[in-house]
Amino acid sequence: MVQTGDWVFVLSNADTLLFGLVVTVVLTLTSLSVGFLLGFPAGAIEVYGDGVLRRVVTVAGGLLRGTPIVVILLVLFFVVSVSESAFITATVGLGLRSAAYQSQLFRGALQSVDEGQLEAARATGMGKLQAIRHVVVPQALRRSMPGFQNEFTIVLKDTSIAFAIGLAELLTQGYNLFTQSGRSTAVLEVFLVISAVYFVLTFLTNRGLDRVSDYYAIPAGENR
């Protein structure tokens, strides 16, 4: 049963949830950045690479995508001991998992660019790497925007799993709010607020990325 006093309790401890929100936002951005820095080269290797390196990247990506994120975080924190910092461990774990998915996102975007453009660039005197960098990559990045929006939403929600290694993100702060205070009746109110915060973050960010995607969208017929 919802009680007015419980809402007052939640609102009076908004600073606790705000701290968790900041951690969640920063963790999302750092994890996506790690995912991009590793995922884009991995996607390019799967398209243009050959030999052992390509197979290693493909197998590593498959393993990361097939392993639950909570298992990845627990192994990195308690077994591998990447860092004593839960935040750094969460960034590494979420970043690696995001890289595995972003690699497929970028692989598809790179493959969607007509090979004739690469051949035309080579015919003008560009080397293969130059042609890929100046002709293929700009188009691939623009085409990957819709998929990146989805990846942002996934990573944002996955930050809550850092609860498993004790990181004080939004969910952890909300949980601690009613358990450490002994205000067990405020469970519903706390989680309603947390759910609303995740929704607003996702909605606003996706609307912003929609605008960016529309601005950089490839005009119809440009790739013919």
Side-chain angles (χ1 to χ4, degrees), residues 31-122:
S31 298
L32 283 170
S33 298
V34 171
F36 177 80
L37 292 174
L38 296 176
F40 190 83
I45 289 172
E46 289 199 65
V47 175
Y48 300 111
D50 52 25
V52 177
L53 182 58
R54 181 177 183 178
R55 288 194 290 271
V56 169
V57 169
T58 300
V59 171
L63 288 174
L64 287 169
R65 289 189 297 274
T67 305
I69 184 60
V70 66
V71 173
I72 294 175
L73 293 181
L74 290 174
V75 168
L76 290 177
F77 194 66
F78 294 108
V79 180
V80 180
S81 298
V82 170
S83 171
E84 294 182 359
S85 167
F87 181 85
I88 293 177
T89 301
T91 298
V92 172
L94 290 168
L96 287 173
R97 176 65 174 271
S98 181
Y101 280 101
Q102 289 193 51
S103 68
Q104 299 309 292
L105 169 65
F106 295 128
R107 178 180 63 81
L110 290 167
Q111 290 177 327
S112 72
V113 179
D114 193 294
E115 292 186 5
Q117 296 193 42
L118 184 60
E119 295 173 359
R122 296 290 302 277

Coordinates of all heavy atoms in Angstrom, one line a residue, residues 31-122:
S31 N 31.5 3.1 -20.7 CA 31.3 1.7 -21.3 C 31.1 1.8 -22.8 O 31.7 1.0 -23.5 CB 30.2 1.0 -20.6 OG 30.4 0.8 -19.2
L32 N 30.2 2.7 -23.2 CA 30.0 2.9 -24.6 C 31.2 3.3 -25.3 O 31.5 2.9 -26.5 CB 28.9 3.9 -24.8 CG 27.4 3.4 -24.6 CD1 26.5 4.5 -24.6 CD2 27.0 2.3 -25.6
S33 N 32.0 4.2 -24.7 CA 33.3 4.6 -25.3 C 34.3 3.5 -25.5 O 34.9 3.4 -26.6 CB 33.9 5.8 -24.5 OG 33.0 6.9 -24.4
V34 N 34.4 2.7 -24.4 CA 35.3 1.5 -24.6 C 34.8 0.6 -25.6 O 35.5 0.1 -26.5 CB 35.4 0.8 -23.2 CG1 36.1 -0.6 -23.4 CG2 36.1 1.6 -22.2
G35 N 33.4 0.4 -25.7 CA 32.8 -0.5 -26.7 C 33.1 0.0 -28.1 O 33.4 -0.8 -29.0
F36 N 33.0 1.4 -28.3 CA 33.3 1.9 -29.6 C 34.8 1.8 -30.0 O 35.1 1.4 -31.1 CB 32.9 3.4 -29.6 CG 33.2 4.1 -30.9 CD1 32.4 3.9 -32.0 CD2 34.3 4.8 -31.1 CE1 32.7 4.5 -33.3 CE2 34.6 5.4 -32.3 CZ 33.8 5.3 -33.4
L37 N 35.7 2.1 -29.1 CA 37.1 2.1 -29.4 C 37.6 0.7 -29.7 O 38.5 0.5 -30.5 CB 37.9 2.6 -28.2 CG 37.7 4.1 -27.9 CD1 38.4 4.5 -26.6 CD2 38.2 5.0 -29.1
L38 N 36.9 -0.3 -29.1 CA 37.3 -1.7 -29.4 C 36.4 -2.3 -30.5 O 36.8 -3.1 -31.3 CB 37.2 -2.6 -28.2 CG 38.1 -2.2 -27.0 CD1 37.8 -3.1 -25.8 CD2 39.6 -2.4 -27.4
G39 N 35.1 -1.9 -30.5 CA 34.2 -2.5 -31.4 C 34.3 -2.1 -32.9 O 34.2 -3.0 -33.8
F40 N 34.6 -0.9 -33.1 CA 34.8 -0.4 -34.5 C 36.0 -1.1 -35.2 O 35.8 -1.7 -36.3 CB 34.9 1.1 -34.6 CG 34.8 1.6 -36.0 CD1 33.6 1.8 -36.6 CD2 36.0 1.8 -36.8 CE1 33.5 2.2 -37.9 CE2 35.9 2.2 -38.1 CZ 34.7 2.4 -38.7
P41 N 37.2 -1.1 -34.6 CA 38.3 -1.9 -35.2 C 38.0 -3.4 -35.4 O 38.3 -4.0 -36.4 CB 39.4 -1.7 -34.2 CG 39.1 -0.4 -33.5 CD 37.6 -0.4 -33.4
A42 N 37.3 -3.9 -34.4 CA 36.9 -5.4 -34.5 C 36.0 -5.6 -35.7 O 36.2 -6.6 -36.4 CB 36.3 -5.8 -33.2
G43 N 35.0 -4.7 -35.8 CA 34.1 -4.9 -37.0 C 34.9 -4.7 -38.3 O 34.6 -5.5 -39.3
A44 N 35.8 -3.8 -38.4 CA 36.6 -3.6 -39.6 C 37.5 -4.8 -39.9 O 37.6 -5.2 -41.0 CB 37.5 -2.3 -39.4
I45 N 38.0 -5.4 -38.8 CA 38.8 -6.6 -39.0 C 38.0 -7.8 -39.5 O 38.5 -8.5 -40.4 CB 39.5 -7.0 -37.7 CG1 40.6 -6.0 -37.3 CG2 40.1 -8.4 -37.7 CD1 41.2 -6.2 -35.9
E46 N 36.8 -7.9 -39.1 CA 35.9 -9.0 -39.5 C 35.5 -8.8 -41.0 O 35.2 -9.7 -41.7 CB 34.6 -9.1 -38.7 CG 34.9 -9.6 -37.3 CD 33.7 -10.1 -36.6 OE1 33.1 -11.1 -37.1 OE2 33.2 -9.5 -35.6
V47 N 35.5 -7.5 -41.5 CA 35.2 -7.3 -42.9 C 36.4 -7.3 -43.8 O 36.4 -7.9 -44.8 CB 34.5 -5.9 -43.0 CG1 34.2 -5.6 -44.5 CG2 33.2 -5.9 -42.2
Y48 N 37.5 -6.6 -43.3 CA 38.6 -6.5 -44.2 C 39.9 -7.3 -43.8 O 40.8 -7.4 -44.6 CB 39.0 -5.0 -44.3 CG 37.9 -4.1 -44.8 CD1 37.3 -3.2 -43.9 CD2 37.5 -4.1 -46.1 CE1 36.3 -2.4 -44.4 CE2 36.5 -3.3 -46.6 CZ 35.9 -2.4 -45.7 OH 34.9 -1.6 -46.2
G49 N 39.8 -7.9 -42.6 CA 41.0 -8.6 -42.1 C 41.0 -10.0 -42.7 O 40.1 -10.5 -43.4
D50 N 42.1 -10.7 -42.5 CA 42.2 -12.1 -42.9 C 43.1 -12.9 -41.9 O 43.7 -12.3 -41.1 CB 42.7 -12.2 -44.3 CG 44.0 -11.4 -44.5 OD1 44.7 -11.2 -43.5 OD2 44.3 -11.1 -45.7
G51 N 43.1 -14.2 -42.1 CA 44.0 -15.0 -41.3 C 43.6 -15.1 -39.8 O 42.4 -15.1 -39.5
V52 N 44.6 -15.3 -39.0 CA 44.4 -15.6 -37.6 C 43.7 -14.5 -36.8 O 42.8 -14.8 -36.0 CB 45.8 -15.9 -36.9 CG1 45.6 -16.2 -35.4 CG2 46.4 -17.1 -37.6
L53 N 44.1 -13.3 -37.1 CA 43.5 -12.1 -36.4 C 42.0 -12.1 -36.6 O 41.2 -11.8 -35.6 CB 44.1 -10.8 -36.9 CG 43.6 -9.5 -36.2 CD1 43.9 -9.6 -34.7 CD2 44.3 -8.3 -36.8
R54 N 41.5 -12.3 -37.8 CA 40.1 -12.3 -38.0 C 39.4 -13.3 -37.3 O 38.3 -13.1 -36.7 CB 39.8 -12.4 -39.5 CG 38.4 -12.3 -39.9 CD 38.2 -12.4 -41.4 NE 36.8 -12.3 -41.8 CZ 36.4 -12.3 -43.1 NH1 37.3 -12.4 -44.1 NH2 35.2 -12.2 -43.4
R55 N 39.9 -14.5 -37.2 CA 39.3 -15.7 -36.5 C 39.3 -15.4 -35.0 O 38.3 -15.7 -34.3 CB 40.0 -17.0 -36.8 CG 39.8 -17.5 -38.2 CD 40.2 -18.9 -38.4 NE 41.7 -19.0 -38.4 CZ 42.5 -18.9 -39.4 NH1 41.9 -18.7 -40.6 NH2 43.8 -19.0 -39.3
V56 N 40.4 -14.8 -34.5 CA 40.5 -14.5 -33.1 C 39.4 -13.5 -32.7 O 38.7 -13.7 -31.7 CB 41.8 -14.0 -32.7 CG1 41.8 -13.4 -31.3 CG2 42.9 -15.1 -32.8
V57 N 39.2 -12.5 -33.5 CA 38.2 -11.4 -33.2 C 36.8 -12.0 -33.3 O 36.0 -11.7 -32.4 CB 38.4 -10.3 -34.2 CG1 37.2 -9.3 -34.1 CG2 39.7 -9.5 -33.9
T58 N 36.6 -12.9 -34.2 CA 35.3 -13.5 -34.4 C 34.9 -14.4 -33.2 O 33.8 -14.3 -32.7 CB 35.2 -14.3 -35.7 OG1 35.4 -13.4 -36.8 CG2 33.8 -14.9 -35.9
V59 N 35.9 -15.2 -32.8 CA 35.6 -16.1 -31.7 C 35.5 -15.3 -30.4 O 34.5 -15.6 -29.6 CB 36.8 -17.1 -31.5 CG1 36.7 -17.9 -30.3 CG2 36.8 -18.1 -32.7
A60 N 36.3 -14.3 -30.1 CA 36.2 -13.5 -28.9 C 34.9 -12.8 -28.8 O 34.2 -12.8 -27.8 CB 37.4 -12.5 -28.9
G61 N 34.4 -12.3 -29.9 CA 33.2 -11.6 -30.0 C 32.0 -12.5 -29.7 O 31.1 -12.2 -28.9
G62 N 32.1 -13.7 -30.3 CA 31.0 -14.7 -30.0 C 31.0 -15.1 -28.6 O 29.9 -15.3 -28.0
L63 N 32.1 -15.3 -27.9 CA 32.2 -15.7 -26.5 C 31.6 -14.6 -25.6 O 30.8 -14.9 -24.7 CB 33.6 -16.0 -26.1 CG 34.2 -17.3 -26.7 CD1 35.7 -17.4 -26.3 CD2 33.5 -18.5 -26.1
L64 N 31.9 -13.4 -25.9 CA 31.4 -12.3 -25.1 C 29.9 -12.1 -25.3 O 29.2 -11.8 -24.3 CB 32.1 -11.0 -25.5 CG 33.6 -10.8 -25.0 CD1 34.3 -9.6 -25.7 CD2 33.6 -10.7 -23.5
R65 N 29.4 -12.2 -26.5 CA 28.0 -12.1 -26.7 C 27.2 -13.3 -26.1 O 26.0 -13.1 -25.7 CB 27.7 -12.0 -28.2 CG 28.1 -10.7 -28.8 CD 27.6 -10.5 -30.3 NE 28.1 -11.6 -31.2 CZ 29.3 -11.5 -31.8 NH1 30.1 -10.4 -31.6 NH2 29.7 -12.5 -32.6
G66 N 27.8 -14.4 -26.0 CA 27.1 -15.6 -25.5 C 27.2 -15.8 -24.0 O 26.6 -16.7 -23.4
T67 N 28.0 -14.9 -23.3 CA 28.1 -15.0 -21.9 C 27.3 -13.9 -21.2 O 27.4 -12.8 -21.5 CB 29.6 -14.8 -21.5 OG1 30.4 -15.7 -22.2 CG2 29.8 -15.0 -20.0
P68 N 26.5 -14.3 -20.2 CA 25.7 -13.3 -19.5 C 26.6 -12.2 -18.9 O 27.7 -12.5 -18.3 CB 25.0 -14.2 -18.4 CG 25.0 -15.6 -18.9 CD 26.2 -15.7 -19.7
I69 N 26.1 -11.0 -18.9 CA 26.9 -9.9 -18.4 C 27.3 -10.0 -17.0 O 28.3 -9.6 -16.5 CB 26.2 -8.5 -18.7 CG1 27.2 -7.4 -18.3 CG2 24.9 -8.5 -18.1 CD1 28.5 -7.3 -19.0
V70 N 26.3 -10.6 -16.2 CA 26.6 -10.7 -14.8 C 27.8 -11.7 -14.5 O 28.6 -11.5 -13.6 CB 25.3 -11.2 -14.0 CG1 24.9 -12.6 -14.4 CG2 25.6 -11.1 -12.5
V71 N 27.9 -12.7 -15.3 CA 29.0 -13.7 -15.2 C 30.3 -13.0 -15.6 O 31.3 -13.1 -14.9 CB 28.8 -14.9 -16.1 CG1 30.0 -15.8 -16.1 CG2 27.6 -15.7 -15.7
I72 N 30.3 -12.1 -16.6 CA 31.5 -11.4 -17.0 C 32.0 -10.5 -15.9 O 33.2 -10.5 -15.5 CB 31.2 -10.6 -18.3 CG1 30.9 -11.5 -19.5 CG2 32.4 -9.6 -18.6 CD1 30.5 -10.7 -20.7
L73 N 31.0 -9.8 -15.3 CA 31.4 -8.9 -14.2 C 31.9 -9.6 -13.0 O 32.9 -9.2 -12.4 CB 30.2 -8.0 -13.8 CG 29.7 -7.0 -14.8 CD1 28.5 -6.2 -14.3 CD2 30.8 -6.0 -15.2
L74 N 31.3 -10.7 -12.6 CA 31.8 -11.5 -11.4 C 33.1 -12.1 -11.7 O 34.0 -12.1 -10.8 CB 30.7 -12.6 -11.1 CG 29.4 -12.1 -10.6 CD1 28.4 -13.3 -10.5 CD2 29.6 -11.4 -9.2
V75 N 33.4 -12.6 -12.9 CA 34.7 -13.2 -13.2 C 35.8 -12.1 -13.2 O 36.9 -12.3 -12.6 CB 34.7 -13.9 -14.6 CG1 36.1 -14.2 -15.0 CG2 33.8 -15.1 -14.5
L76 N 35.5 -10.9 -13.8 CA 36.5 -9.9 -13.8 C 36.8 -9.3 -12.4 O 37.9 -8.9 -12.1 CB 36.0 -8.7 -14.7 CG 35.9 -9.0 -16.2 CD1 35.3 -7.8 -16.9 CD2 37.3 -9.3 -16.8
F77 N 35.8 -9.3 -11.5 CA 36.0 -8.7 -10.2 C 36.5 -9.7 -9.2 O 37.5 -9.3 -8.5 CB 34.6 -8.1 -9.7 CG 34.8 -7.2 -8.5 CD1 35.4 -6.0 -8.7 CD2 34.3 -7.6 -7.3 CE1 35.6 -5.1 -7.6 CE2 34.4 -6.7 -6.2 CZ 35.0 -5.5 -6.3
F78 N 36.0 -10.9 -9.2 CA 36.4 -11.8 -8.1 C 37.4 -12.9 -8.6 O 38.1 -13.4 -7.7 CB 35.1 -12.6 -7.6 CG 34.2 -11.7 -6.9 CD1 33.0 -11.3 -7.5 CD2 34.5 -11.1 -5.7 CE1 32.1 -10.5 -6.8 CE2 33.6 -10.3 -5.0 CZ 32.4 -10.0 -5.6
V79 N 37.5 -13.1 -9.9 CA 38.5 -14.2 -10.3 C 39.7 -13.5 -11.0 O 40.8 -13.8 -10.5 CB 37.8 -15.1 -11.3 CG1 38.8 -16.2 -11.8 CG2 36.6 -15.8 -10.7
V80 N 39.5 -12.7 -12.0 CA 40.6 -12.1 -12.7 C 41.2 -10.9 -11.9 O 42.4 -10.6 -12.0 CB 40.2 -11.6 -14.1 CG1 41.3 -10.9 -14.8 CG2 39.6 -12.8 -14.9
S81 N 40.3 -10.3 -11.1 CA 40.7 -9.1 -10.3 C 41.3 -8.0 -11.2 O 42.4 -7.5 -10.9 CB 41.7 -9.5 -9.2 OG 41.1 -10.4 -8.3
V82 N 40.5 -7.6 -12.1 CA 41.0 -6.5 -13.0 C 41.3 -5.3 -12.2 O 42.3 -4.6 -12.5 CB 39.8 -6.1 -14.0 CG1 40.1 -4.9 -14.8 CG2 39.6 -7.3 -15.0
S83 N 40.6 -4.9 -11.2 CA 40.8 -3.8 -10.4 C 40.1 -3.9 -9.1 O 39.0 -4.6 -9.0 CB 40.4 -2.5 -11.1 OG 40.4 -1.4 -10.3
E84 N 40.6 -3.2 -8.1 CA 39.8 -3.2 -6.8 C 38.6 -2.3 -6.9 O 37.7 -2.3 -6.0 CB 40.8 -2.8 -5.7 CG 41.9 -3.8 -5.4 CD 42.7 -3.3 -4.2 OE1 42.5 -2.2 -3.6 OE2 43.7 -4.1 -3.8
S85 N 38.6 -1.4 -7.9 CA 37.5 -0.5 -8.1 C 36.4 -1.2 -8.8 O 36.6 -1.7 -9.9 CB 38.0 0.7 -8.9 OG 36.9 1.5 -9.4
A86 N 35.2 -1.2 -8.2 CA 34.1 -1.8 -8.9 C 33.7 -1.0 -10.1 O 33.2 -1.6 -11.1 CB 32.9 -1.8 -7.9
F87 N 33.9 0.3 -10.1 CA 33.6 1.1 -11.3 C 34.5 0.8 -12.5 O 34.0 0.6 -13.6 CB 33.8 2.6 -11.0 CG 33.4 3.5 -12.1 CD1 32.1 3.9 -12.3 CD2 34.4 4.0 -13.0 CE1 31.8 4.7 -13.4 CE2 34.1 4.8 -14.1 CZ 32.7 5.2 -14.3
I88 N 35.8 0.6 -12.2 CA 36.7 0.3 -13.3 C 36.3 -1.1 -13.9 O 36.3 -1.3 -15.1 CB 38.1 0.3 -12.9 CG1 38.5 1.8 -12.6 CG2 39.1 -0.3 -13.9 CD1 39.9 1.9 -12.0
T89 N 36.1 -2.0 -13.0 CA 35.7 -3.4 -13.4 C 34.4 -3.4 -14.2 O 34.3 -4.1 -15.2 CB 35.5 -4.3 -12.1 OG1 36.8 -4.3 -11.4 CG2 35.2 -5.7 -12.6
A90 N 33.4 -2.6 -13.7 CA 32.2 -2.6 -14.5 C 32.4 -1.9 -15.8 O 31.8 -2.4 -16.8 CB 31.2 -1.7 -13.7
T91 N 33.2 -0.9 -15.9 CA 33.5 -0.3 -17.2 C 34.2 -1.2 -18.2 O 33.8 -1.3 -19.3 CB 34.4 1.0 -17.0 OG1 33.8 1.9 -16.2 CG2 34.8 1.6 -18.3
V92 N 35.1 -2.0 -17.7 CA 35.8 -3.0 -18.5 C 34.8 -4.1 -19.0 O 34.7 -4.4 -20.2 CB 37.0 -3.7 -17.8 CG1 37.6 -4.8 -18.6 CG2 38.1 -2.6 -17.5
G93 N 34.0 -4.6 -18.0 CA 33.1 -5.7 -18.4 C 32.0 -5.2 -19.3 O 31.8 -5.9 -20.4
L94 N 31.4 -4.1 -19.0 CA 30.3 -3.6 -19.9 C 30.9 -3.1 -21.2 O 30.3 -3.3 -22.3 CB 29.6 -2.4 -19.2 CG 28.7 -2.8 -18.0 CD1 28.3 -1.5 -17.3 CD2 27.5 -3.6 -18.5
G95 N 32.1 -2.6 -21.2 CA 32.8 -2.1 -22.4 C 33.1 -3.3 -23.3 O 32.9 -3.2 -24.6
L96 N 33.6 -4.3 -22.8 CA 34.0 -5.5 -23.6 C 32.7 -6.1 -24.2 O 32.7 -6.5 -25.4 CB 34.7 -6.6 -22.8 CG 36.1 -6.2 -22.4 CD1 36.7 -7.3 -21.4 CD2 37.0 -6.2 -23.6
R97 N 31.7 -6.2 -23.4 CA 30.4 -6.8 -23.9 C 29.8 -5.9 -25.0 O 29.3 -6.4 -26.0 CB 29.4 -6.9 -22.7 CG 28.0 -7.4 -23.1 CD 28.1 -8.8 -23.7 NE 26.7 -9.3 -23.9 CZ 26.0 -9.9 -23.0 NH1 26.4 -10.2 -21.8 NH2 24.7 -10.3 -23.3
S98 N 29.9 -4.6 -24.8 CA 29.4 -3.6 -25.8 C 30.2 -3.7 -27.0 O 29.6 -3.6 -28.1 CB 29.4 -2.2 -25.2 OG 28.9 -1.3 -26.2
A99 N 31.5 -3.9 -26.9 CA 32.4 -3.9 -28.1 C 32.0 -5.1 -28.9 O 32.0 -5.1 -30.2 CB 33.8 -4.1 -27.6
A100 N 31.6 -6.2 -28.3 CA 31.2 -7.4 -29.0 C 30.0 -7.2 -29.9 O 29.9 -7.7 -31.0 CB 31.0 -8.6 -28.1
Y101 N 29.1 -6.4 -29.3 CA 27.8 -6.1 -30.1 C 28.1 -5.0 -31.1 O 27.6 -5.0 -32.2 CB 26.7 -5.7 -29.1 CG 26.0 -7.0 -28.5 CD1 26.4 -7.3 -27.2 CD2 25.1 -7.7 -29.3 CE1 25.8 -8.5 -26.7 CE2 24.6 -8.8 -28.7 CZ 24.9 -9.2 -27.4 OH 24.3 -10.4 -26.9
Q102 N 28.9 -4.0 -30.7 CA 29.1 -2.9 -31.6 C 29.9 -3.4 -32.8 O 29.8 -2.8 -33.9 CB 29.9 -1.8 -30.9 CG 29.0 -1.0 -29.9 CD 29.7 0.3 -29.5 OE1 30.1 1.1 -30.3 NE2 29.8 0.5 -28.1
S103 N 30.8 -4.4 -32.6 CA 31.6 -4.9 -33.7 C 30.6 -5.4 -34.8 O 30.9 -5.2 -36.0 CB 32.5 -6.0 -33.3 OG 31.8 -7.2 -32.9
Q104 N 29.5 -6.1 -34.4 CA 28.6 -6.6 -35.4 C 27.8 -5.5 -36.0 O 27.4 -5.5 -37.2 CB 27.6 -7.6 -34.7 CG 28.3 -8.8 -34.2 CD 29.3 -9.4 -35.2 OE1 28.8 -10.0 -36.2 NE2 30.6 -9.4 -35.0
L105 N 27.5 -4.4 -35.2 CA 26.8 -3.3 -35.7 C 27.6 -2.6 -36.8 O 27.1 -2.3 -37.9 CB 26.5 -2.3 -34.6 CG 26.0 -0.9 -34.9 CD1 24.7 -0.9 -35.6 CD2 26.0 -0.1 -33.6
F106 N 28.9 -2.4 -36.6 CA 29.8 -1.7 -37.5 C 30.1 -2.6 -38.7 O 30.3 -2.1 -39.8 CB 31.0 -1.2 -36.8 CG 30.7 -0.1 -35.8 CD1 31.2 -0.2 -34.5 CD2 30.0 1.0 -36.1 CE1 31.0 0.8 -33.6 CE2 29.7 2.0 -35.2 CZ 30.2 1.9 -33.9
R107 N 30.2 -3.9 -38.4 CA 30.5 -4.8 -39.5 C 29.4 -4.7 -40.6 O 29.6 -4.7 -41.8 CB 30.6 -6.3 -39.0 CG 30.8 -7.3 -40.1 CD 30.9 -8.7 -39.5 NE 29.6 -9.1 -38.9 CZ 28.6 -9.6 -39.5 NH1 28.6 -9.7 -40.9 NH2 27.5 -9.9 -38.9
G108 N 28.1 -4.8 -40.1 CA 27.0 -4.7 -41.0 C 27.0 -3.3 -41.8 O 26.7 -3.3 -42.9
A109 N 27.3 -2.2 -41.0 CA 27.4 -0.9 -41.7 C 28.4 -0.8 -42.7 O 28.2 -0.2 -43.8 CB 27.6 0.2 -40.6
L110 N 29.6 -1.4 -42.4 CA 30.7 -1.4 -43.4 C 30.3 -2.2 -44.7 O 30.6 -1.8 -45.8 CB 32.0 -1.9 -42.8 CG 32.6 -1.0 -41.7 CD1 33.7 -1.8 -41.0 CD2 33.3 0.2 -42.3
Q111 N 29.7 -3.3 -44.4 CA 29.3 -4.2 -45.6 C 28.2 -3.6 -46.4 O 28.0 -4.0 -47.6 CB 28.9 -5.6 -45.0 CG 30.1 -6.4 -44.5 CD 29.7 -7.7 -43.9 OE1 28.6 -7.8 -43.4 NE2 30.5 -8.7 -44.0
S112 N 27.5 -2.7 -45.8 CA 26.3 -2.1 -46.5 C 26.8 -1.0 -47.6 O 26.0 -0.7 -48.5 CB 25.4 -1.4 -45.6 OG 25.9 -0.2 -45.0
V113 N 28.0 -0.6 -47.5 CA 28.5 0.4 -48.4 C 28.9 -0.4 -49.7 O 29.7 -1.3 -49.6 CB 29.8 1.2 -47.9 CG1 30.3 2.1 -48.9 CG2 29.4 1.9 -46.6
D114 N 28.4 0.1 -50.8 CA 28.7 -0.6 -52.1 C 30.2 -0.7 -52.4 O 30.9 0.2 -52.3 CB 28.0 0.2 -53.2 CG 28.0 -0.6 -54.5 OD1 29.0 -0.9 -55.1 OD2 26.8 -0.9 -55.0
E115 N 30.6 -1.9 -52.7 CA 32.0 -2.2 -53.0 C 32.5 -1.4 -54.2 O 33.7 -1.1 -54.3 CB 32.3 -3.7 -53.3 CG 32.1 -4.6 -52.0 CD 32.4 -6.0 -52.3 OE1 32.9 -6.3 -53.4 OE2 32.2 -6.8 -51.4
G116 N 31.6 -1.0 -55.0 CA 32.0 -0.2 -56.2 C 32.6 1.2 -55.8 O 33.5 1.7 -56.5
Q117 N 32.2 1.7 -54.6 CA 32.8 3.0 -54.1 C 34.2 2.8 -53.7 O 35.0 3.6 -54.0 CB 31.9 3.5 -53.0 CG 30.5 3.9 -53.4 CD 29.8 4.7 -52.3 OE1 30.4 5.6 -51.7 NE2 28.6 4.4 -52.0
L118 N 34.5 1.6 -53.1 CA 35.9 1.3 -52.7 C 36.7 1.2 -53.9 O 37.9 1.7 -54.0 CB 35.9 0.1 -51.9 CG 37.2 -0.4 -51.3 CD1 37.8 0.7 -50.4 CD2 37.1 -1.7 -50.5
E119 N 36.2 0.5 -54.9 CA 37.0 0.3 -56.2 C 37.2 1.6 -56.9 O 38.3 1.8 -57.4 CB 36.2 -0.7 -57.1 CG 36.1 -2.1 -56.5 CD 35.2 -3.0 -57.3 OE1 34.7 -2.5 -58.3 OE2 35.1 -4.2 -56.9
A120 N 36.2 2.5 -56.9 CA 36.3 3.8 -57.6 C 37.4 4.6 -56.9 O 38.2 5.3 -57.5 CB 35.0 4.5 -57.6
A121 N 37.4 4.5 -55.5 CA 38.4 5.3 -54.8 C 39.8 4.8 -55.1 O 40.8 5.6 -55.2 CB 38.1 5.2 -53.3
R122 N 39.9 3.5 -55.2 CA 41.2 2.9 -55.5 C 41.7 3.3 -56.9 O 42.9 3.5 -57.1 CB 41.1 1.3 -55.4 CG 40.9 0.8 -54.0 CD 42.0 0.9 -53.1 NE 43.2 0.3 -53.6 CZ 43.5 -1.0 -53.4 NH1 42.6 -1.8 -52.8 NH2 44.6 -1.5 -53.9

